[in-house]
Amino acid sequence: MGRSRRTLPEELLLLALDPTTGTTAQPQSLDLGLAGAQLVELALAGRIAPDGDRIAVVAPRPTGDPTLDCALELLRRRGAPVRAVHWIGGPRLGLRQTYLSHLERCGMVHAVEGQMCGVLPTTRYQATDTAISREIRARLDSAIRTGVPPDPRTAALAALAHAVGLGKHLYPGNEGRSSRSRLRDLIRHDPMGGLVAHAVMDVQNGAAAQPRRGPATGRQGAGPGARSAPQPARGVPAQPRHGSMARAAVH
């Protein structure tokens, strides 16, 4: 898999990045969306495929993308197809920061250090080339405006954007209501994107809750912005929250 093409997690993150404030919209649900976007990207690369509501590895060879290959290897180690909702609901602390750091290395964003309340260090990210974000947004706008079935990558991006609640960020207010509705409807144009998007929303609604985590918190809300506490997916190690994550207050 060549690196000339941006991956879906990168595009989803750029779509969520506010060009003015340097913060990301829907930060909590976005973390789930990035895990889901990895699955869709691996499916587009022919490495995994849907098996009902589960994900099966069909070609374990590396893609050449270290972050995707880490996810692929974890899926391979499971040995059997894993439910998408369980995979997406597993803890992946640092995934958003990993992609932000990658975008910074590629020159697509730059870090801006600051302080919250004059004390707590923060890091925000500003796009260095807004043309890239505009191109991503234009693909969604075109699919919404024309009604022509989009390519699988754009359809999956639309499904993920809807699932994590970016519709109100991209198309705000009453005037954006019809566009948000069409964004939601694009979910049907890519089976893998639809499977993952529904899994992201199910996790937010508490469908992936594990009894051993104590009282369920999935009744916070049923919309894309609501999220229950993430539950561990078997075989997925939690990454430690060290300096860069504690400092990178990207909300």
Side-chain angles (χ1 to χ4, degrees), residues 5-25:
R5 169 179 283 178
R6 294 182 300 273
T7 64
L8 272 174
E10 294 163 8
E11 291 198 327
L12 184 65
L13 187 51
L14 286 170
L15 200 62
L17 193 64
D18 190 302
T20 303
T21 65
T23 61
T24 51

Side-chain angles (χ1 to χ4, degrees), residues 69-83:
D69 287 341
C70 179
L72 179 61
E73 176 60 15
L74 289 173
L75 285 166
R76 187 194 66 80
R77 289 179 188 174
R78 295 292 294 271
V82 57
R83 288 188 65 202

Side-chain angles (χ1 to χ4, degrees), residues 98-221:
T98 295
Y99 277 108
L100 283 168
S101 298
H102 170 73
L103 292 176
E104 185 180 16
R105 288 192 301 271
C106 292
M108 285 189 257
V109 302
H110 70 277
V112 179
E113 305 295 335
Q115 289 185 328
M116 181 183 298
C117 302
V119 178
L120 300 175
T122 63
T123 304
R124 297 171 185 265
Y125 291 83
Q126 299 285 350
T128 55
D129 186 355
T130 56
I132 296 175
S133 297
R134 288 198 301 270
E135 182 272 327
I136 297 170
R137 172 67 180 272
R139 282 162 43 207
L140 290 185
D141 289 345
S142 176
I144 288 172
R145 183 180 63 256
T146 64
V148 176
D151 62 275
R153 181 173 294 273
T154 301
L157 182 61
L160 288 162
H162 167 70
V164 303
L166 287 184
K168 59 186 178 183
H169 168 71
L170 300 171
Y171 308 104
N174 288 333
E175 65 275 13
R177 184 178 301 172
S178 61
S179 293
R180 293 195 299 271
S181 177
R182 295 190 189 104
L183 180 70
R184 180 195 63 221
D185 291 343
L186 290 175
I187 200 171
R188 70 182 187 274
H189 290 294
D190 179 62
M192 185 65 178
L195 168 64
V196 169
H198 283 298
V200 168
M201 291 185 282
D202 284 345
V203 173
Q204 294 177 78
N205 293 336
Q210 300 282 342
R212 59 190 175 88
R213 286 297 296 266
T217 57
R219 296 183 64 85
Q220 290 177 321

Side-chain angles (χ1 to χ4, degrees), residues 12 26-39 84-85 87-92 95-96 160 163-164 196-197 199-206 208 224-231:
L12 184 65
Q26 303 298 109
Q28 291 184 321
S29 54
L30 179 62
D31 290 341
L32 300 176
L34 290 173
Q38 287 186 313
L39 293 180
V85 70
W87 173 262
I88 291 169
R92 283 167 185 81
L95 186 59
R96 187 171 15 136
L160 288 162
V164 303
V196 169
V200 168
M201 291 185 282
D202 284 345
V203 173
Q204 294 177 78
N205 293 336
R227 180 189 175 188
S228 62
Q231 310 300 325

